[in-house]
């Protein structure tokens, strides 16, 4: 039986328990982005979660710098349709 990391389950449950709005378009958010940093800020991973289904896209980052975050999220967002990007909110 596959085991999922505890942070994945926490992220999914947290998304389902609240209603989010996209400030840019004033409608309910369909996607939420988060950044998870590792011990001593030595590593990081970005998450993009579709709130209606829990579908998760991981954004790979080389380290925990702002430059890596921009590059990682940009690569992940560029694979999504433009309409989906407009419904993204970020903590």
């Amino acid at each position: 039986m596959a085991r999922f990391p505890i942070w994945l389950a926490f992220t999914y449950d947290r998304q389902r328990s609240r209603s989010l709005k996209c400030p840019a378009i004033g409608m309910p958010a369909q996607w939420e982005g988060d950044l998870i940093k590792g011990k001593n800020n030595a590593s990081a991973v970005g998450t993009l979660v579709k709130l209606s289904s829990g579908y998760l896209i991981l954004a790979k980052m080389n380290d925990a710098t702002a430059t890596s975050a921009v590059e990682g999220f940009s690569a992940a967002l560029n694979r999504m349709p433009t309409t989906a990007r407009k419904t993204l909110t970020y903590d």
Side-chain angles (χ1 to χ4, degrees), residues 1-5:
M1 181 161 142
R3 298 194 71 190
F4 294 97

Side-chain angles (χ1 to χ4, degrees), residues 34-69:
D34 281 303
L35 178 66
I36 301 169
K37 286 191 160 190
K39 184 176 181 181
N40 297 325
N41 291 329
S43 61
V45 66
T47 63
L48 299 168
V49 180
K50 185 168 186 175
L51 300 174
S52 63
S53 66
Y55 180 74
L56 175 70
I57 298 173
L58 295 176
K60 181 183 177 189
M61 302 192 188
N62 296 326
D63 51 31
T65 63
T67 302
S68 290

